[in-house]
Amino acid sequence: MTMHPKRDVVIVINPGSTSSKIALFKAGKMVAERTLNHSLAELSQFDAVIAQKDFRMQAIQEFLADQDFSASEVLAVAGRGGLLKPIPGGTYAVNEAMLDDLTAAKRNEHASNLGAGLAQQVADQYGVKAYVVDPPVVDELQPLARISGLKGIERHSAAHVLNQKAMARQVLATMGKTYATSRVIVAHIGGGLSIHAHENGRMIDGNNGIDGEGPYSPERAGSLPLVDFVAKVLAERLTLDRVKKLLASQSGLRSYLNDISIKNIVARIAEGDETAKFYLDGMIYQIKKQIAEMAGVLNGQVDVIILTGGAAYATAVTAPLQHDLAWIAPVVVRPGEMEMQALYEGVMRVLNHEEPVRVYQSDASTIKGGTGR
């Protein structure tokens, strides 16, 4: 890795719904990390997510004040990307167009919308640049993957992009392969679930995990029987906002078992709860189907299948997938997420001239064919 004289500290900021993670990387290693938890009572005083910025910044500044580094050592600041317009994957310099779109919450309200603004404020403090890396709106679908079956409606991608791409790079490196020249399927299994086919560095097909498409998950509905669901919407006179909440946070295992904790559900199964086993098996069954579907997208030429996310800690979930999908490709389990490391590595790829920095344009049209142009 190319080292930069004197300046080798990168500050990484990752805001979540009820926490802010912050870390310091120095000379390629994480030297400090803290998760700053925010209570619901603290956050409830704010009418919009973007209004939390000063509150969260105070906690971040307190963390930075406790660390042993000087301003002259800071090389850059990385923030989690928010809900911007659909864009290709990569590392983006924070600019006014990006901040304006996130402040206005044009795509939706989400804690990740704070990432770029927090990073920019800290970067200004140290006189360096701020970046975001592989935000969840990265959309690199190939043209055929966009066809929905109804004119006027197109499929689009929204996924755990940062972790998917980072895990793919990490696992492929252990195999002596590069992300830019490989074919891999990554399944991020958490409260939400996203499964994508990656080909030569692009996520060419997969489900919209934010809106709840694909397999059902602990909180999301997955793809539903359309006529039956429309009938429910009409009969119950559900608003669009209510439909979005139902699909994205009040369905899946929550609706069947009144629980979203895989750990709790596995414990219930161990105590003989057949209903819990049935619906966990159903989720695994649907995950298996979509992974096999993505193998079809890649014409069966798959270097590796990667299982990641919080639910990948549960062998009750990963073991059957490893057994049943081994005929496609090796199945590697990488539980959890590596978002902080991924944010750091994305910035360093740009600063080391391994890939170009990207520029966000607020008036860019929706991506066609994953080109972003």
Side-chain angles (χ1 to χ4, degrees), residues 44 67 124 223-224 242 263 327:
S44 64
Q67 307 309 312
D124 289 343
S223 299
L224 298 171
R242 176 73 181 108
K263 183 178 180 179
W327 60 276

Side-chain angles (χ1 to χ4, degrees), residues 310-329:
Y313 283 106
T315 56
V317 173
T318 59
L321 291 172
Q322 286 184 293
H323 178 271
D324 294 348
L325 295 168
W327 60 276
I328 298 174

Side-chain angles (χ1 to χ4, degrees), residues 111-268:
S112 63
N113 289 352
L114 291 161
L118 292 170
Q120 184 64 62
Q121 186 169 333
V122 173
D124 289 343
Q125 176 180 336
Y126 294 105
V128 297
K129 291 185 178 180
Y131 302 87
V132 300
V133 183
D134 288 329
V137 295
V138 164
D139 190 334
E140 301 170 328
L141 297 187
Q142 58 188 349
L144 290 179
R146 298 187 182 281
I147 301 173
S148 71
L150 179 62
K151 186 175 181 179
I153 297 178
E154 281 195 343
R155 296 190 183 279
H156 59 93
S157 179
H160 304 85
V161 180
L162 183 63
N163 192 50
Q164 279 211 29
K165 285 179 174 275
M167 287 295 186
R169 288 188 177 96
Q170 183 188 74
V171 171
L172 288 165
T174 67
M175 300 170 64
K177 299 178 182 291
T178 66
Y179 180 58
T181 59
S182 299
R183 291 180 165 197
V184 58
I185 299 168
V186 184
H188 182 112
I189 312 168
L193 196 156
S194 58
I195 300 173
H196 282 66
H198 299 239
E199 182 178 50
N200 298 333
R202 293 172 57 243
M203 299 170 68
I204 64 170
D205 203 346
N207 65 305
N208 180 338
I210 289 181
D211 288 344
E213 297 174 5
Y216 69 82
S217 75
E219 295 185 272
R220 296 182 184 20
S223 299
L224 298 171
L226 287 177
V227 172
D228 290 342
F229 183 66
V230 171
K232 175 182 177 67
V233 171
L234 296 175
E236 298 181 18
R237 299 181 179 181
L238 302 180
T239 64
L240 180 58
D241 182 61
R242 176 73 181 108
V243 167
K244 287 181 177 180
K245 289 180 180 177
L246 180 63
L247 294 177
S249 63
Q250 298 172 356
S251 298
L253 294 177
R254 181 192 292 274
S255 69
Y256 290 121
L257 303 174
N258 195 33
D259 202 338
I260 62 172
S261 167
I262 297 295
K263 183 178 180 179
N264 290 347
I265 292 168
V266 169
R268 288 168 58 173

